[in-house]
Amino acid sequence: MNNAHQSGIGVPAVSNASLAARAARAIPGGVNSPVRGFGSVGGTPRFMVSGQGWRMTDAEGTEYVDLIGVWGPALLGHAFPEVIDAVTRTAAQGLGFGTSVPAEAELAEEIMQRMPEVERVRLVSTGTEATMTAIRIARAATNRPLIIKFAGHYHGHSDGLLAAAGSGLATFGLPGSAGVTAEIAAQTLVLPYNDLTAIEAAFAAHSGEIAAIITESAAANMGIVPPAPGFTAGLLRIAHEHGALVITDEVLTGFRASAAGYWGIERTDMVPGQRPDLFTFGKVIGGGLPLAALGGRAELMDLLAPLGPVYQGGTLSGNPVAVAAGLATMRAADAGAYTQLNWFADALARETTSALAAAGVAHRVQRAGTLMSVLFGDFDTPPSGYDEVLRQDTDQYRAFFHAMLDGGVHLPPSPFETWFVSAAHDAVALDRIVAALPAAARAAAAATS
Ligand SMILES: *Cc1c(COP(=O)(O)O)cnc(C)c1O
């Protein structure tokens, strides 16, 4: 442990190891979401107790540069003053009423303003619910059963979407999940990403049966794999020619890859009127509290109850405290915030590459707007799909991860993840990372299998 990163103040309370042992007795695997468990990197997970900006501090008082960012929501960094203010002011008025509250429509409007393709918004609590509901709408609207998803894309943990679902499963080497019936699995066609020919073939083989294609706007749950030039336009064209809908999952990329998500980057490449039918959002729009959404064309969204026949509901949907956090986050995420995110991602990519290159570690930096990730191994050409990404050197990542952690930088504990930066990451954060990189690069070089 590097003492330079110890806060030095207060009592070194409880050790991470004892907290992990206690959690393991009460909670399956000691975690409430699998990748938190250090399963693919080994060692003892850190139990965080506080965060401020790019800093987070664990139960032993060790401070880290955070590159997990709550897996997406922390766009502005931790404990951003206006967000904390909005949350505390709202919470003091009551945690929820089971009625509508005024701010729900304000958050919906904030989303619609940034994405004019979204004509109605329904707020839910998790990205999993958002994609599950979008698919239900697509099936109802088309009266067709099948869904196309792409290998390595993650859309939450509903039964029908867990096949070849990227990070969480890739981390543990699982093809899908036990407990999903063959009947349900058969309703999802898993195709290779960035392969329009495979989409054409699926529509030919299942004529009149495919309700929708669901796609991450840029794949970001197998590391970053952006859509190849022309792929998004092609998939929209093919789906619409066959009477199927397109659901663009922006739960991770939304309001992070750019102010209008990854679609905001690609929309100008489309022919006029060509657009996804439904979008899903989460992570950033909850500002760190449980909140997600789906939105899209009015006539599709209006199929939802109470207007239409598609049922969906939620006790905590549109919870006022979560809405306040999301609204404050979206309002503070101005052009300057995205400039800062982009600057930091560029700098992080540049410094990581230079350290890895100096140590002779083959790697590739992947980008999608402000998003970045690093693949370890020989990749002469950018990977376009899951099979290629799975070839990366996970031993090297494990060594790199732990050396960075010892140097006070907390990367995602899996090689199949985005490195999440925030608008709070600054030159001081960068200096700390730059200081940790050489030893981590040498550790990765020594781990070459
Ligand atoms: C995180 C994520 C989800 C699931 O969101 P939860 O809030 O974890 O249920 C869905 N789609 C994508 C692209 C995601 O990154």
Side-chain angles (χ1 to χ4, degrees), residues 71 125-129 131 154-157 216 221 249-252 280 283 292:
W71 304 94
S125 299
T126 65
T128 297
E129 284 173 86
T131 57
Y154 181 65
H155 302 292
H157 60 96
E216 282 191 64
N221 282 287
D249 185 350
E250 292 259 15
V251 169
L252 192 153
T280 52
K283 299 190 168 108

Side-chain angles (χ1 to χ4, degrees), residues 362-364 375-383 388-389 391-393:
H363 69 285
R364 175 174 279 276
L375 281 166
F376 285 77
D378 271 312
F379 291 90
D380 296 335
T381 52
E388 294 160 79
V389 164
R391 287 198 291 104
Q392 73 178 299
D393 193 326

Side-chain angles (χ1 to χ4, degrees), residues 3 6 18 25 31-32 77 79 89 137 157 172 181 191 245 308 329 357 385-386 397:
N3 285 321
Q6 299 276 338
S18 67
R25 287 191 294 272
V31 291
N32 286 309
R89 268 188 292 108
I137 292 173
H157 60 96
F172 301 102
T181 63
L191 302 186
L245 304 183
T329 299
Y386 198 36
Y397 186 79

Side-chain angles (χ1 to χ4, degrees), residues 273-286:
Q274 192 175 45
R275 58 177 188 171
D277 303 278
L278 294 167
F279 291 88
T280 52
F281 306 104
K283 299 190 168 108
V284 166
I285 62 160

Side-chain angles (χ1 to χ4, degrees), residues 90-91 93-99 101 316 319-321:
T90 306
Q93 308 291 327
L95 297 178
F97 308 101
T99 69
V101 299
L316 296 176
N319 172 268
V321 183

